[in-house]
Amino acid sequence: MNPVSELETPAVTVLMDVMEDNIQRVQAHLSKHGIANRPHIKTHKIPALGKLQMQAGASGITCQKIGEVEVFADANVADDVLLTYNILGAAKTDRLMAVAKRLKRLAVVLDNDVVAKGLSAAAVRHQGEIPFLIECDTGMGRNGVQTPQAALDLARSAMRLRGMRFEGIMTFPLKPPGASLTNPKLSAPGSLAFFREALKIFGQAGIPVPVISGGGTPAIWTVQDYPMLTEHRAGTCIYNDVMTVASGTATWDNCAMRVRATVVSRPTETRAVFDCGTKVLTSDTYTVSGHGHVMEYPDAVIPVLSEEHGVIDLSNAKKKPQVGEVIHIVPNHCCVVSNMVDEVYGVRGGKVEATWAVAARGTVR
Ligand SMILES: Cc1ncc(COP(=O)(O)O)c(C=O)c1O
């Protein structure tokens, strides 16, 4: 095992003790409340980490793209997979049916009848059956049927199609009542009210809803407020990042992913420049400002990145780095950083304990 100091920078590292603790704490919390844990592997895209999550007690995994399902099926990570994406087109539905044959259960989500009909046609073509959940928009303002009645109507029409088996409803993210994430002017009833009403009218229609699937890292610690949930899908929580800390659901000490970078320039008293930019940290700011948190210089900010340079503003920093110094940056959004690099290094006690290929990197189809 080589010392971490021998890693060339920039390098995406994961503190293994922190990551293992994150996996265990999330599993323990969901188990305590009788909710199945279905971690979203789009965060790490590394089969070995999916296996750790399964060993800790996960019931299966969540994937966002068929390519991820294929890579994780090749690695035998889990035989129960939920694909949380509307799958459209013969090429993709053929791939879906092919990979489904290698798993015990591959369920999909859908929020419109075009997707439902395409899936049904594929099920008929391949003489298979597709379990599906209806995706509900309970406040994010992204995919999802807009009302519980629309969920029931779509479930009814989709379950009448050949080869389609209704299993339940899902949302992302699990949200308390309030403003939409993407449009602050919209207010949404929140996941609890939506799910309650949906279960009432599905019950009146005599349609059982065995799966009620919530999602998102910020909601993990309050899943108990949604008593109808049967499972929860969280991804970011395996590493945590600036967004998770900003949401108040993790501390810097819970952040396992740290990008090791070298300070390559100190052009002015208040500026430092390090050796990575958007090609590692990405330009994702989503809900936070700046471009990452420098662990060694918590008062510093990263106001701007170019492709291969990161600029640190030291105006408010009590101490300042030297040229050649190695710093560790917690990225804004760890999931997109995973997709930027071929390898991620697992670090423990100052040594590189594992080098993981990001096997599902780039699987966006
Ligand atoms: C459908 C779906 N489920 C679950 C998740 C996991 O959310 P988080 O990364 O906040 O844990 C995501 C994240 O994008 C998602 O899109």
Side-chain angles (χ1 to χ4, degrees), residues 237-249:
C237 56
I238 187 170
Y239 292 151
N240 291 312
D241 54 21
V242 174
M243 290 201 303
T244 331
V245 173
S247 75
T249 50

Side-chain angles (χ1 to χ4, degrees), residues 32 37 64 86 109 133 138 152 165 175 182 211 217 222 225 242 252 254 266 274 305 316 327 334 340 350 357:
K32 181 172 151 201
N37 181 22
Q64 204 79 327
N86 278 342
V109 308
L133 311 181
T138 66
L152 176 61
R165 188 175 80 235
K175 257 184 73 59
T182 44
V211 179
T217 286
T222 50
D225 296 345
V242 174
W252 298 121
N254 303 136
R266 281 293 317 278
F274 57 92
L305 298 175
N316 296 318
I327 56 173
C334 58
M340 303 302 279

Side-chain angles (χ1 to χ4, degrees), residues 125-152:
R125 270 199 313 279
H126 293 264
Q127 285 132 35
E129 192 187 41
I130 301 180
F132 69 94
L133 311 181
I134 300 292
E135 178 158 8
C136 306
D137 177 6
T138 66
M140 181 167 191
R142 196 172 70 179
N143 281 13
V145 294
Q146 296 297 299
T147 62
Q149 185 61 46
L152 176 61

Side-chain angles (χ1 to χ4, degrees), residues 4-313:
V4 67
S5 55
E6 285 180 10
L7 279 181
E8 256 192 77
T9 63
V12 178
T13 65
V14 168
L15 296 177
M16 294 186 67
D17 288 338
V18 177
M19 177 190 68
E20 287 164 8
D21 179 58
N22 290 341
I23 292 174
Q24 295 300 337
R25 281 185 304 115
V26 167
Q27 182 63 55
H29 187 77
L30 294 175
S31 297
K32 181 172 151 201
H33 295 286
I35 295 170
N37 181 22
R38 184 178 288 283
H40 207 315
I41 59 77
K42 53 101 198 183
T43 297
H44 51 74
K45 289 176 170 272
I46 297 172
L49 302 193
K51 286 183 182 171
L52 287 183
Q53 292 172 310
M54 291 300 293
Q55 281 156 16
S59 62
I61 58 171
T62 309
C63 296
Q64 204 79 327
K65 291 297 176 91
I66 303 173
E68 291 174 342
V69 181
E70 289 165 341
V71 169
F72 275 63
D74 287 346
N76 286 317
V77 174
D79 60 8
D80 183 340
V81 180
L82 173 65
L83 176 55
T84 47
Y85 213 85
N86 278 342
I87 302 300
L88 274 162
K92 284 195 171 61
T93 52
D94 282 346
R95 282 170 61 208
L96 179 82
M97 297 311 296
V99 72
K101 291 208 167 93
R102 298 157 57 197
L103 300 166
K104 205 163 98 199
R105 170 180 177 260
L106 174 57
V108 295
V109 308
L110 59 98
D111 74 350
N112 66 75
D113 62 351
V114 177
V115 173
K117 285 176 187 151
L119 289 169
S120 165
V124 171
R125 270 199 313 279
H126 293 264
Q127 285 132 35
E129 192 187 41
I130 301 180
F132 69 94
L133 311 181
I134 300 292
E135 178 158 8
C136 306
D137 177 6
T138 66
M140 181 167 191
R142 196 172 70 179
N143 281 13
V145 294
Q146 296 297 299
T147 62
Q149 185 61 46
L152 176 61
D153 293 345
L154 182 58
R156 266 188 173 137
S157 61
M159 65 203 282
R160 279 193 209 111
L161 299 170
R162 283 171 65 197
M164 298 294 284
R165 188 175 80 235
F166 173 70
E167 280 199 344
I169 53 180
M170 62 76 80
T171 193
F172 175 78
L174 205 57
K175 257 184 73 59
S180 148
L181 271 184
T182 44
N183 182 352
K185 291 201 178 120
L186 287 179
S187 74
S191 312
L192 187 60
F194 194 112
F195 278 166
R196 270 202 185 123
E197 175 64 13
L199 291 178
K200 191 176 105 194
I201 61 176
F202 274 81
Q204 286 162 352
I207 300 173
V209 186
V211 179
I212 301 153
S213 182
T217 286
I220 289 170
W221 310 108
T222 50
V223 280
Q224 59 275 23
D225 296 345
Y226 304 82
M228 68 282 286
L229 285 192
T230 62
E231 66 172 27
H232 191 69
R233 316 171 315 274
T236 305
C237 56
I238 187 170
Y239 292 151
N240 291 312
D241 54 21
V242 174
M243 290 201 303
T244 331
V245 173
S247 75
T249 50
T251 65
W252 298 121
D253 288 342
N254 303 136
C255 291
M257 181 189 273
R258 285 142 194 242
V259 176
R260 268 176 82 82
T262 302
V263 174
V264 292
S265 177
R266 281 293 317 278
T268 73
E269 181 50 28
T270 57
R271 192 192 316 153
V273 181
F274 57 92
D275 62 350
C276 65
T278 53
K279 283 183 172 167
V280 175
L281 291 168
T282 82
S283 37
D284 205 338
T285 51
Y286 210 29
T287 55
V288 295
S289 60
H291 292 277
H293 176 79
V294 187
M295 287 304 292
E296 292 82 358
Y297 299 95
D299 306 319
V301 290
I302 305 175
V304 62
L305 298 175
S306 44
E307 285 178 55
E308 302 288 9
H309 297 79
V311 173
I312 309 183
D313 178 357

